[in-house]
Amino acid sequence: MRPAATAGGAATATPHGQAKYLPRPKSRRRGVALCLSGGGFRATLFHLGGLRRLNELGLLSQVDTISSVSGGSIISAHLASRLRPWPAAGAVLSDSEWNERIAGPIKAFVRRNLRTWPILNRFLPWNWLWDSTAVETLARQYEKRLTSMRLPELPDRPRFIFCATDLPFGVNWVFDSGLHRGRRGRVGDYQAGYLRPLPNWPLARAIAASSCFPPIFNPLPLGLRPVQLHPGAYRRADRDRLVAGIRLSDGGVYDNLGLEPVWKNHLIILVSDGGAIFEAEADRGLFWRLQRYMTVVDSQARGLRKRWLIAGFLKNELLGAYWGIGSAGGHYLSLLPQYPEDLVDEIISEVRTDLDAFSEGEIAVLENHGYLLADAAVQRHVRPLLTGVAPIPLRLLARPAALPHPEWMSEARVREALKDSGRQRLLGRW
């Protein structure tokens, strides 16, 4: 008689299938992972609000791993640079500390246009033959304005993973500060292989690789010699040629949620998603269709990953919570005031995913929205999971919310201030 399959099908799966397609059994999963999606400065600010609330609830200091993409990598690198030493488990930064060390500096950062000069710099005559000029300039901007930290200087706790996309092999490439085989840190992916330990590269280079979204930025060439990477799963004869030509694009090309490095082995997964929302558009001819085909493919891939994640939560195969910029707090049965669903759908979720200058209103509304949704998701889905997992006093989990910008909860004010926020401009905003 054929053995009965479990809810996840593990009883009939081969060892290869279990290792490749299923998370580890819950008894073998450890720790709390926080995934910060891509989505330009919009995502950075949305995550800022969520991180503020996680700090207030005592959850941020419990996080063991932060996996990030693009705009999420900007705020993740900012945390790594500014939150040193990392708070002890259960500790909470005061509001004044949070504003001084985290919120204030990152808000100043996103008020300035980051992407226009790298692009214009590419068109200078002496850069015409150097197709990585824009992304290299972007990396220098990050190093100058965001962080001068180098990869080996990443803290021991939590583990930071910055995700990019390896174009030759089509998989998730990581800059990973964790401990692997007795050595701290690695750079690479499972197909090409890994460089261990972390090279003495600027952290800004990892952020640029994670956020060089196409077609605005060409991919980042690494210039690695094949012998530098311990060989991965790809062992064909052309392996060395492919490794030597590796170029990295935005992490969102492969996995905009940053789930790939953490979903199998972490007990609790928290996902903050500030990524783009698919919008209906009328047909505009051949060239529009060519672009639209790729947009639909990208949208369905992201949608499938999101549905798979939430289905895993609902079936209790995965533990954690998801909050997305297109969500309304009412979906979580939140007791806090939230932005109305039509305002979220028509205005807030339409804010551009760009690296140009963000206004005071955009900053305030996005931070508020992330804050409120993170609270709603934690109170609804995460609190019941924490008993015996994270030693967080109940008084912290019950701490009243202190909205960052209560003056920006007026629907009329938000509509007026953000009415043009969804439109991208050729030279950006300044």
Side-chain angles (χ1 to χ4, degrees):
M1 179 180 290
R2 184 179 180 181
T6 66
T12 57
T14 64
H16 170 77
Q18 291 186 44
K20 188 169 183 178
Y21 298 110
L22 295 177
R24 293 176 182 174
K26 291 177 185 174
S27 61
R28 294 177 52 206
R29 289 182 244 162
R30 296 288 184 272
V32 179
L34 174 61
C35 299
L36 303 175
S37 81
F41 285 167
R42 178 179 91 166
T44 299
L45 293 164
F46 180 74
H47 300 326
L48 175 65
L51 290 166
R52 180 189 286 267
R53 189 55 176 154
L54 293 181
N55 169 67
E56 292 174 353
L57 296 173
L59 271 172
L60 183 59
S61 60
Q62 300 284 349
V63 168
D64 298 283
T65 301
I66 299 179
S67 176
S68 61
V69 179
S70 195
S73 290
I74 292 172
I75 189 72
S76 180
H78 182 67
L79 286 177
S81 302
R82 295 278 180 165
L83 207 50
R84 300 173 67 91
W86 193 260
V92 171
L93 270 68
S94 67
D95 290 344
S96 60
E97 286 181 297
W98 182 264
N99 287 328
E100 180 182 352
R101 298 171 63 180
I102 307 299
I106 200 66
K107 289 177 186 179
F109 178 76
V110 302
R111 288 189 186 105
R112 297 176 58 187
N113 186 314
L114 187 71
R115 60 99 161 152
T116 303
W117 171 243
I119 297 169
L120 293 177
N121 192 32
R122 178 181 174 187
F123 292 98
L124 295 174
W126 49 88
N127 291 327
W128 288 352
L129 299 179
W130 186 246
D131 67 354
S132 64
T133 296
V135 67
E136 296 283 5
T137 305
L138 180 65
R140 290 193 294 271
Q141 290 289 306
Y142 283 134
E143 188 168 14
K144 177 181 178 181
R145 294 171 46 192
L146 184 68
T147 177
S148 60
M149 180 182 287
R150 304 188 82 81
L151 289 175
E153 296 173 338
L154 286 167
D156 293 333
R157 177 180 173 272
R159 173 186 173 192
F160 284 89
I161 305 175
F162 299 90
C163 300
T165 300
D166 174 346
L167 290 181
F169 292 99
V171 295
N172 194 65
W173 176 282
V174 297
F175 300 84
D176 181 354
S177 70
L179 190 66
H180 303 276
R181 299 181 182 178
R183 306 182 77 178
R184 185 172 175 273
R186 62 181 183 175
V187 170
D189 61 54
Y190 83 97
Q191 289 279 29
Y194 294 95
L195 170 62
R196 300 188 181 96
L198 285 173
N200 192 34
W201 298 348
L203 176 56
R205 191 167 177 81
I207 309 167
S210 183
S211 61
C212 56
F213 53 92
I216 302 300
F217 295 99
N218 278 338
L220 178 71
L222 291 183
L224 290 170
R225 290 177 290 111
V227 295
Q228 291 181 271
L229 272 63
H230 187 277
Y234 193 90
R235 301 297 180 96
R236 297 182 185 178
D238 59 349
R239 183 257 177 191
D240 286 359
R241 178 176 62 84
L242 293 176
V243 169
I246 283 178
R247 290 171 178 261
L248 303 181
S249 187
D250 188 297
V253 174
Y254 184 81
D255 171 18
N256 200 52
L257 295 181
L259 280 167
E260 194 72 12
V262 300
W263 70 272
K264 286 185 178 181
N265 52 22
H266 285 70
L267 184 60
I268 295 177
I269 304 170
L270 308 176
V271 181
S272 178
D273 181 9
I277 306 297
F278 183 81
E279 294 296 331
E281 292 182 12
D283 189 278
R284 297 201 296 270
L286 175 61
F287 292 106
W288 174 87
R289 290 178 207 135
L290 292 175
Q291 179 271 334
R292 191 65 170 175
Y293 296 142
M294 296 305 301
T295 301
V296 172
V297 170
D298 175 71
S299 175
Q300 66 86 23
R302 295 185 185 195
L304 282 173
R305 193 178 288 269
K306 175 182 168 182
R307 289 196 291 274
W308 158 81
L309 172 71
I310 295 175
F313 289 153
L314 293 175
K315 292 190 293 185
N316 203 37
E317 295 168 354
L318 299 172
L319 305 178
Y322 165 95
W323 58 93
I325 197 167
S327 303
H331 296 170
Y332 298 89
L333 305 180
S334 172
L335 299 178
L336 294 178
Q338 300 277 343
Y339 288 117
E341 186 169 356
D342 59 347
L343 181 66
V344 172
D345 181 58
E346 297 167 12
I347 300 294
I348 299 176
S349 67
E350 294 289 310
V351 174
R352 66 201 176 282
T353 55
D354 208 341
L355 298 178
D356 62 1
F358 272 54
S359 70
E360 292 299 324
E362 292 166 341
I363 291 170
V365 172
L366 289 168
E367 186 180 9
N368 275 354
H369 192 41
Y371 180 97
L372 290 168
L373 288 180
D375 178 80
V378 167
Q379 303 297 348
R380 180 71 178 172
H381 299 297
V382 180
R383 281 187 72 171
L385 303 175
L386 294 176
T387 303
V389 175
I392 302 174
L394 290 179
R395 62 178 174 80
L396 286 180
L397 286 173
R399 183 178 177 183
L403 196 64
H405 308 281
E407 71 279 10
W408 279 98
M409 289 302 292
S410 163
E411 179 173 355
R413 187 180 186 190
V414 172
R415 285 187 179 275
E416 176 61 27
L418 273 63
K419 62 184 178 182
D420 193 41
S421 294
R423 188 166 65 89
Q424 289 185 312
R425 299 177 182 173
L426 180 62
L427 296 179
R429 292 163 169 82
W430 295 86

